[in-house]
Tab-separated table of all heavy atoms in Angstrom:
chain	number	residue	atom	x	y	z
A	1	LYS	N	-7.744	-11.642	1.246
A	1	LYS	CA	-7.891	-10.660	2.448
A	1	LYS	C	-7.332	-9.327	2.110
A	1	LYS	O	-7.902	-8.283	2.540
A	1	LYS	CB	-7.192	-11.305	3.668
A	1	LYS	CG	-7.299	-10.489	4.886
A	1	LYS	CD	-6.630	-11.196	6.053
A	1	LYS	CE	-6.647	-10.261	7.281
A	1	LYS	NZ	-5.944	-10.842	8.391
A	2	ARG	N	-6.168	-9.255	1.497
A	2	ARG	CA	-5.501	-7.958	1.225
A	2	ARG	C	-6.386	-7.057	0.401
A	2	ARG	O	-6.472	-5.816	0.647
A	2	ARG	CB	-4.138	-8.070	0.637
A	2	ARG	CG	-3.142	-8.739	1.642
A	2	ARG	CD	-1.850	-8.931	0.871
A	2	ARG	NE	-0.835	-9.528	1.688
A	2	ARG	CZ	0.459	-9.632	1.420
A	2	ARG	NH1	0.909	-9.139	0.186
A	2	ARG	NH2	1.330	-10.206	2.148
A	3	THR	N	-7.008	-7.638	-0.605
A	3	THR	CA	-7.891	-6.902	-1.507
A	3	THR	C	-9.070	-6.381	-0.713
A	3	THR	O	-9.489	-5.213	-0.877
A	3	THR	CB	-8.309	-7.708	-2.674
A	3	THR	OG1	-7.166	-8.105	-3.383
A	3	THR	CG2	-9.202	-6.935	-3.636
A	4	VAL	N	-9.663	-7.181	0.151
A	4	VAL	CA	-10.844	-6.762	0.926
A	4	VAL	C	-10.464	-5.630	1.894
A	4	VAL	O	-11.222	-4.770	2.047
A	4	VAL	CB	-11.441	-8.005	1.673
A	4	VAL	CG1	-12.460	-7.600	2.680
A	4	VAL	CG2	-11.933	-9.071	0.717
A	5	VAL	N	-9.262	-5.727	2.524
A	5	VAL	CA	-8.747	-4.713	3.323
A	5	VAL	C	-8.721	-3.351	2.650
A	5	VAL	O	-9.292	-2.364	3.193
A	5	VAL	CB	-7.406	-5.013	4.021
A	5	VAL	CG1	-6.700	-3.853	4.658
A	5	VAL	CG2	-7.469	-6.224	5.006
A	6	TYR	N	-8.198	-3.347	1.490
A	6	TYR	CA	-8.112	-2.035	0.727
A	6	TYR	C	-9.482	-1.562	0.282
A	6	TYR	O	-9.728	-0.386	0.188
A	6	TYR	CB	-7.039	-2.112	-0.338
A	6	TYR	CG	-5.757	-1.791	0.236
A	6	TYR	CD1	-4.916	-2.783	0.774
A	6	TYR	CD2	-5.277	-0.510	0.245
A	6	TYR	CE1	-3.731	-2.426	1.307
A	6	TYR	CE2	-4.012	-0.193	0.841
A	6	TYR	CZ	-3.228	-1.174	1.349
A	6	TYR	OH	-2.017	-0.855	1.952
A	7	ALA	N	-10.380	-2.478	-0.053
A	7	ALA	CA	-11.770	-2.142	-0.399
A	7	ALA	C	-12.466	-1.417	0.824
A	7	ALA	O	-13.125	-0.432	0.662
A	7	ALA	CB	-12.563	-3.338	-0.907
A	8	GLU	N	-12.232	-1.996	1.982
A	8	GLU	CA	-12.853	-1.441	3.204
A	8	GLU	C	-12.181	-0.078	3.527
A	8	GLU	O	-12.843	0.878	3.930
A	8	GLU	CB	-12.708	-2.400	4.329
A	8	GLU	CG	-13.284	-1.887	5.622
A	8	GLU	CD	-14.756	-1.506	5.584
A	8	GLU	OE1	-15.516	-1.968	4.629
A	8	GLU	OE2	-15.226	-0.743	6.454
A	9	LEU	N	-10.829	0.014	3.353
A	9	LEU	CA	-10.216	1.310	3.574
A	9	LEU	C	-10.764	2.365	2.642
A	9	LEU	O	-10.903	3.525	3.097
A	9	LEU	CB	-8.659	1.166	3.348
A	9	LEU	CG	-7.912	0.335	4.434
A	9	LEU	CD1	-6.537	0.071	3.990
A	9	LEU	CD2	-7.933	1.049	5.771
A	10	ALA	N	-10.962	2.051	1.420
A	10	ALA	CA	-11.537	2.972	0.425
A	10	ALA	C	-12.899	3.446	0.822
A	10	ALA	O	-13.250	4.634	0.792
A	10	ALA	CB	-11.474	2.417	-0.989
A	11	ARG	N	-13.737	2.465	1.214
A	11	ARG	CA	-15.086	2.748	1.598
A	11	ARG	C	-15.097	3.727	2.820
A	11	ARG	O	-15.853	4.634	2.962
A	11	ARG	CB	-15.781	1.444	2.006
A	11	ARG	CG	-17.295	1.683	2.243
A	11	ARG	CD	-17.963	0.534	2.984
A	11	ARG	NE	-17.427	0.302	4.320
A	11	ARG	CZ	-17.698	1.115	5.417
A	11	ARG	NH1	-18.565	2.165	5.257
A	11	ARG	NH2	-17.265	0.854	6.578
A	12	ALA	N	-14.142	3.471	3.781
A	12	ALA	CA	-14.059	4.206	4.971
A	12	ALA	C	-13.312	5.579	4.784
A	12	ALA	O	-13.215	6.370	5.650
A	12	ALA	CB	-13.503	3.483	6.100
A	13	GLU	N	-12.774	5.804	3.588
A	13	GLU	CA	-11.996	6.926	3.305
A	13	GLU	C	-10.776	7.049	4.246
A	13	GLU	O	-10.541	8.112	4.749
A	13	GLU	CB	-12.768	8.214	3.187
A	13	GLU	CG	-13.791	8.144	2.047
A	13	GLU	CD	-14.548	9.499	1.881
A	13	GLU	OE1	-14.445	10.391	2.720
A	13	GLU	OE2	-15.308	9.562	0.897
A	14	ARG	N	-10.165	5.977	4.434
A	14	ARG	CA	-8.979	5.903	5.354
A	14	ARG	C	-7.714	5.755	4.414
A	14	ARG	O	-7.545	4.747	3.753
A	14	ARG	CB	-9.066	4.754	6.327
A	14	ARG	CG	-7.960	4.763	7.328
A	14	ARG	CD	-8.252	3.823	8.469
A	14	ARG	NE	-7.036	3.706	9.293
A	14	ARG	CZ	-6.720	2.626	9.875
A	14	ARG	NH1	-7.439	1.562	9.819
A	14	ARG	NH2	-5.589	2.576	10.594
A	15	TRP	N	-6.823	6.737	4.536
A	15	TRP	CA	-5.590	6.722	3.610
A	15	TRP	C	-4.415	6.263	4.315
A	15	TRP	O	-3.954	6.894	5.292
A	15	TRP	CB	-5.451	8.145	3.058
A	15	TRP	CG	-6.752	8.884	2.701
A	15	TRP	CD1	-7.092	10.066	3.134
A	15	TRP	CD2	-7.793	8.365	1.829
A	15	TRP	NE1	-8.343	10.394	2.658
A	15	TRP	CE2	-8.764	9.372	1.795
A	15	TRP	CE3	-7.979	7.283	1.088
A	15	TRP	CZ2	-9.985	9.277	1.018
A	15	TRP	CZ3	-9.153	7.091	0.332
A	15	TRP	CH2	-10.084	8.109	0.327
A	16	VAL	N	-3.893	5.102	3.909
A	16	VAL	CA	-2.786	4.440	4.627
A	16	VAL	C	-1.527	4.423	3.831
A	16	VAL	O	-0.437	4.148	4.432
A	16	VAL	CB	-3.114	3.066	5.094
A	16	VAL	CG1	-4.337	3.012	6.001
A	16	VAL	CG2	-3.402	2.125	3.916
A	17	LEU	N	-1.532	4.674	2.562
A	17	LEU	CA	-0.221	4.641	1.713
A	17	LEU	C	0.600	5.931	1.894
A	17	LEU	O	-0.004	7.086	1.796
A	17	LEU	CB	-0.565	4.367	0.286
A	17	LEU	CG	-1.242	3.082	-0.082
A	17	LEU	CD1	-1.445	2.975	-1.615
A	17	LEU	CD2	-0.401	1.931	0.414
A	18	ARG	N	1.876	5.765	2.204
A	18	ARG	CA	2.735	6.910	2.364
A	18	ARG	C	3.818	6.877	1.294
A	18	ARG	O	4.205	5.811	0.956
A	18	ARG	CB	3.378	6.900	3.731
A	18	ARG	CG	2.432	6.652	4.890
A	18	ARG	CD	2.031	8.007	5.536
A	18	ARG	NE	1.220	7.809	6.711
A	18	ARG	CZ	-0.096	7.591	6.785
A	18	ARG	NH1	-0.751	7.404	5.703
A	18	ARG	NH2	-0.735	7.603	7.922
A	19	TYR	N	4.220	8.058	0.888
A	19	TYR	CA	5.335	8.128	-0.134
A	19	TYR	C	6.242	9.227	0.191
A	19	TYR	O	5.829	10.369	0.485
A	19	TYR	CB	4.716	8.301	-1.543
A	19	TYR	CG	5.703	8.405	-2.609
A	19	TYR	CD1	6.434	7.205	-2.991
A	19	TYR	CD2	6.076	9.594	-3.228
A	19	TYR	CE1	7.405	7.265	-3.990
A	19	TYR	CE2	7.049	9.603	-4.147
A	19	TYR	CZ	7.678	8.482	-4.560
A	19	TYR	OH	8.706	8.478	-5.499
A	20	SER	N	7.552	8.980	0.080
A	20	SER	CA	8.560	9.935	0.255
A	20	SER	C	9.167	10.244	-1.097
A	20	SER	O	9.950	9.452	-1.650
A	20	SER	CB	9.737	9.451	1.221
A	20	SER	OG	10.731	10.420	1.189
A	21	PRO	N	8.838	11.452	-1.710
A	21	PRO	CA	9.410	11.754	-3.034
A	21	PRO	C	10.962	11.965	-2.914
A	21	PRO	O	11.643	11.680	-3.853
A	21	PRO	CB	8.709	13.049	-3.416
A	21	PRO	CG	7.806	13.412	-2.354
A	21	PRO	CD	7.939	12.460	-1.257
A	22	LEU	N	11.383	12.497	-1.819
A	22	LEU	CA	12.811	12.726	-1.582
A	22	LEU	C	13.623	11.424	-1.645
A	22	LEU	O	14.644	11.316	-2.309
A	22	LEU	CB	12.999	13.486	-0.348
A	22	LEU	CG	14.294	14.196	-0.105
A	22	LEU	CD1	14.578	15.239	-1.225
A	22	LEU	CD2	14.346	14.866	1.267
A	23	ARG	N	13.143	10.466	-0.921
A	23	ARG	CA	13.758	9.113	-0.852
A	23	ARG	C	13.265	8.121	-1.956
A	23	ARG	O	13.849	7.034	-2.014
A	23	ARG	CB	13.643	8.475	0.549
A	23	ARG	CG	14.368	9.406	1.535
A	23	ARG	CD	14.431	8.764	2.898
A	23	ARG	NE	13.145	8.366	3.469
A	23	ARG	CZ	12.521	9.001	4.527
A	23	ARG	NH1	13.172	9.972	5.026
A	23	ARG	NH2	11.355	8.605	4.925
A	24	ARG	N	12.185	8.429	-2.597
A	24	ARG	CA	11.603	7.567	-3.578
A	24	ARG	C	11.236	6.251	-2.982
A	24	ARG	O	11.491	5.146	-3.454
A	24	ARG	CB	12.501	7.388	-4.793
A	24	ARG	CG	12.694	8.597	-5.599
A	24	ARG	CD	13.733	8.486	-6.758
A	24	ARG	NE	13.593	7.273	-7.479
A	24	ARG	CZ	13.011	7.154	-8.699
A	24	ARG	NH1	12.490	8.216	-9.270
A	24	ARG	NH2	12.976	6.014	-9.310
A	25	GLU	N	10.499	6.340	-1.813
A	25	GLU	CA	10.091	5.114	-1.081
A	25	GLU	C	8.573	5.157	-0.850
A	25	GLU	O	7.997	6.190	-0.482
A	25	GLU	CB	10.814	5.107	0.271
A	25	GLU	CG	12.348	4.912	0.115
A	25	GLU	CD	13.091	5.066	1.394
A	25	GLU	OE1	12.502	5.514	2.440
A	25	GLU	OE2	14.243	4.586	1.398
A	26	LEU	N	7.957	3.975	-1.037
A	26	LEU	CA	6.548	3.810	-0.845
A	26	LEU	C	6.425	2.957	0.438
A	26	LEU	O	7.101	1.958	0.651
A	26	LEU	CB	6.012	3.087	-2.002
A	26	LEU	CG	4.502	2.721	-1.854
A	26	LEU	CD1	3.599	3.977	-1.809
A	26	LEU	CD2	4.009	1.790	-2.992
A	27	TYR	N	5.586	3.396	1.388
A	27	TYR	CA	5.346	2.719	2.636
A	27	TYR	C	3.913	2.255	2.745
A	27	TYR	O	2.927	3.007	2.500
A	27	TYR	CB	5.616	3.638	3.795
A	27	TYR	CG	7.002	4.147	3.958
A	27	TYR	CD1	7.424	5.348	3.263
A	27	TYR	CD2	7.968	3.437	4.704
A	27	TYR	CE1	8.708	5.778	3.373
A	27	TYR	CE2	9.228	3.966	4.809
A	27	TYR	CZ	9.626	5.054	4.187
A	27	TYR	OH	10.914	5.508	4.233
A	28	THR	N	3.754	1.046	3.224
A	28	THR	CA	2.379	0.485	3.565
A	28	THR	C	2.447	-0.008	4.983
A	28	THR	O	3.452	-0.554	5.370
A	28	THR	CB	1.990	-0.629	2.640
A	28	THR	OG1	2.800	-1.774	2.799
A	28	THR	CG2	2.050	-0.197	1.139
A	29	PRO	N	1.441	0.136	5.730
A	29	PRO	CA	1.435	-0.499	7.081
A	29	PRO	C	1.576	-2.030	6.994
A	29	PRO	O	1.074	-2.621	6.088
A	29	PRO	CB	0.054	-0.126	7.655
A	29	PRO	CG	-0.369	1.078	6.872
A	29	PRO	CD	0.248	0.900	5.454
A	30	LYS	N	2.389	-2.535	7.838
A	30	LYS	CA	2.637	-3.993	7.849
A	30	LYS	C	1.318	-4.728	7.906
A	30	LYS	O	1.158	-5.777	7.340
A	30	LYS	CB	3.564	-4.318	9.016
A	30	LYS	CG	3.911	-5.820	9.094
A	30	LYS	CD	4.990	-6.007	10.209
A	30	LYS	CE	4.543	-7.088	11.112
A	30	LYS	NZ	5.526	-7.299	12.188
A	31	ARG	N	0.348	-4.295	8.697
A	31	ARG	CA	-0.909	-4.931	8.831
A	31	ARG	C	-1.821	-4.754	7.749
A	31	ARG	O	-2.932	-5.315	7.626
A	31	ARG	CB	-1.521	-4.487	10.150
A	31	ARG	CG	-0.764	-4.898	11.433
A	31	ARG	CD	-1.459	-4.472	12.700
A	31	ARG	NE	-2.808	-4.943	12.792
A	31	ARG	CZ	-3.851	-4.196	13.247
A	31	ARG	NH1	-3.647	-3.011	13.684
A	31	ARG	NH2	-5.034	-4.694	13.382
A	32	MET	N	-1.404	-3.917	6.812
A	32	MET	CA	-2.282	-3.576	5.648
A	32	MET	C	-1.426	-3.650	4.351
A	32	MET	O	-1.349	-2.684	3.591
A	32	MET	CB	-2.915	-2.219	5.748
A	32	MET	CG	-3.822	-2.050	6.900
A	32	MET	SD	-4.288	-0.363	7.252
A	32	MET	CE	-4.944	-0.464	8.846
A	33	GLN	N	-0.775	-4.765	4.194
A	33	GLN	CA	0.053	-4.893	3.031
A	33	GLN	C	-0.670	-4.795	1.715
A	33	GLN	O	-1.874	-5.126	1.667
A	33	GLN	CB	0.813	-6.205	3.107
A	33	GLN	CG	1.842	-6.191	4.246
A	33	GLN	CD	2.718	-7.423	4.282
A	33	GLN	OE1	3.207	-7.844	3.245
A	33	GLN	NE2	2.920	-8.039	5.450
A	34	LEU	N	0.037	-4.369	0.667
A	34	LEU	CA	-0.680	-4.310	-0.618
A	34	LEU	C	-1.199	-5.610	-1.116
A	34	LEU	O	-0.675	-6.661	-0.783
A	34	LEU	CB	0.414	-3.820	-1.668
A	34	LEU	CG	0.995	-2.426	-1.487
A	34	LEU	CD1	2.126	-2.177	-2.499
A	34	LEU	CD2	-0.039	-1.388	-1.594
A	35	PRO	N	-2.310	-5.517	-1.863
A	35	PRO	CA	-2.815	-6.729	-2.501
A	35	PRO	C	-1.682	-7.371	-3.369
A	35	PRO	O	-0.840	-6.735	-3.856
A	35	PRO	CB	-3.934	-6.248	-3.323
A	35	PRO	CG	-4.463	-5.026	-2.663
A	35	PRO	CD	-3.233	-4.439	-2.117
A	36	HIS	N	-1.737	-8.648	-3.557
A	36	HIS	CA	-0.686	-9.423	-4.158
A	36	HIS	C	-0.338	-8.809	-5.511
A	36	HIS	O	0.897	-8.637	-5.808
A	36	HIS	CB	-1.027	-10.896	-4.314
A	36	HIS	CG	-1.117	-11.540	-2.971
A	36	HIS	ND1	-0.017	-11.759	-2.160
A	36	HIS	CD2	-2.183	-12.023	-2.323
A	36	HIS	CE1	-0.417	-12.440	-1.101
A	36	HIS	NE2	-1.712	-12.506	-1.119
A	37	LEU	N	-1.246	-8.533	-6.370
A	37	LEU	CA	-0.915	-7.919	-7.795
A	37	LEU	C	-0.245	-6.635	-7.583
A	37	LEU	O	0.748	-6.332	-8.326
A	37	LEU	CB	-2.248	-7.839	-8.507
A	37	LEU	CG	-2.031	-7.322	-9.956
A	37	LEU	CD1	-1.234	-8.292	-10.724
A	37	LEU	CD2	-3.477	-7.092	-10.581
A	38	HIS	N	-0.679	-5.777	-6.679
A	38	HIS	CA	-0.023	-4.432	-6.523
A	38	HIS	C	1.404	-4.629	-5.966
A	38	HIS	O	2.273	-3.823	-6.341
A	38	HIS	CB	-0.915	-3.592	-5.568
A	38	HIS	CG	-2.168	-3.251	-6.212
A	38	HIS	ND1	-3.286	-4.118	-6.228
A	38	HIS	CD2	-2.644	-2.118	-6.901
A	38	HIS	CE1	-4.256	-3.516	-6.862
A	38	HIS	NE2	-3.931	-2.347	-7.225
A	39	ALA	N	1.567	-5.539	-5.054
A	39	ALA	CA	2.886	-5.829	-4.431
A	39	ALA	C	3.846	-6.266	-5.440
A	39	ALA	O	4.949	-5.821	-5.527
A	39	ALA	CB	2.726	-6.804	-3.287
A	40	ARG	N	3.324	-7.163	-6.371
A	40	ARG	CA	4.267	-7.631	-7.452
A	40	ARG	C	4.566	-6.487	-8.363
A	40	ARG	O	5.764	-6.472	-8.757
A	40	ARG	CB	3.560	-8.780	-8.167
A	40	ARG	CG	3.477	-10.066	-7.400
A	40	ARG	CD	2.796	-11.141	-8.219
A	40	ARG	NE	2.644	-12.358	-7.444
A	40	ARG	CZ	1.826	-13.315	-7.683
A	40	ARG	NH1	1.111	-13.235	-8.781
A	40	ARG	NH2	1.786	-14.374	-6.958
A	41	ALA	N	3.668	-5.697	-8.720
A	41	ALA	CA	3.961	-4.581	-9.589
A	41	ALA	C	5.028	-3.679	-8.965
A	41	ALA	O	5.917	-3.202	-9.619
A	41	ALA	CB	2.592	-3.830	-9.865
A	42	ALA	N	4.826	-3.365	-7.693
A	42	ALA	CA	5.860	-2.488	-7.002
A	42	ALA	C	7.253	-3.196	-6.949
A	42	ALA	O	8.210	-2.488	-7.108
A	42	ALA	CB	5.382	-2.251	-5.568
A	43	VAL	N	7.336	-4.438	-6.710
A	43	VAL	CA	8.630	-5.192	-6.740
A	43	VAL	C	9.193	-5.121	-8.171
A	43	VAL	O	10.387	-4.870	-8.304
A	43	VAL	CB	8.394	-6.626	-6.250
A	43	VAL	CG1	9.648	-7.465	-6.588
A	43	VAL	CG2	8.179	-6.673	-4.830
A	44	LEU	N	8.390	-5.321	-9.201
A	44	LEU	CA	8.889	-5.299	-10.573
A	44	LEU	C	9.345	-3.829	-10.871
A	44	LEU	O	10.379	-3.700	-11.517
A	44	LEU	CB	7.900	-5.739	-11.513
A	44	LEU	CG	7.591	-7.283	-11.487
A	44	LEU	CD1	6.340	-7.594	-12.413
A	44	LEU	CD2	8.783	-7.997	-12.046
A	45	ARG	N	8.588	-2.857	-10.478
A	45	ARG	CA	9.080	-1.450	-10.742
A	45	ARG	C	10.280	-1.099	-10.008
A	45	ARG	O	11.155	-0.470	-10.595
A	45	ARG	CB	7.858	-0.514	-10.268
A	45	ARG	CG	8.072	0.906	-10.678
A	45	ARG	CD	8.024	1.086	-12.159
A	45	ARG	NE	8.045	2.516	-12.487
A	45	ARG	CZ	7.456	2.939	-13.569
A	45	ARG	NH1	6.802	2.175	-14.364
A	45	ARG	NH2	7.468	4.252	-13.820
A	46	SER	N	10.404	-1.599	-8.793
A	46	SER	CA	11.621	-1.232	-7.966
A	46	SER	C	12.793	-2.007	-8.392
A	46	SER	O	13.945	-1.511	-8.379
A	46	SER	CB	11.201	-1.543	-6.517
A	46	SER	OG	12.347	-1.726	-5.663
A	47	GLY	N	12.636	-3.256	-8.687
A	47	GLY	CA	13.778	-4.179	-8.969
A	47	GLY	C	14.259	-4.803	-7.686
A	47	GLY	O	15.213	-5.518	-7.710
């Protein structure tokens, strides 16, 4: 489902990912969480 949600967001050109360079924080809407592979990569990168 998460992958399909992001495929549809891309098709609709709806941009939902937010980033704060000052705080080094990536935000995703709770209802549009990252696909599992991307979420794992973010956790590994973040620690």
Side-chain angles (χ1 to χ4, degrees):
K1 181 180 177 183
R2 292 178 180 190
T3 301
V4 172
V5 165
Y6 274 87
E8 179 59 19
L9 289 169
R11 188 196 66 74
E13 295 185 354
R14 185 165 170 217
W15 320 126
V16 299
L17 296 181
R18 310 266 188 277
Y19 181 73
S20 170
L22 198 57
R23 295 190 301 252
R24 294 174 44 100
E25 295 172 344
L26 176 67
Y27 297 89
T28 67
K30 183 174 127 179
R31 294 180 56 220
M32 298 170 196
Q33 291 184 44
L34 294 174
H36 295 291
L37 182 62
H38 294 81
R40 286 181 186 163
V43 167
L44 288 171
R45 185 67 170 211
S46 161

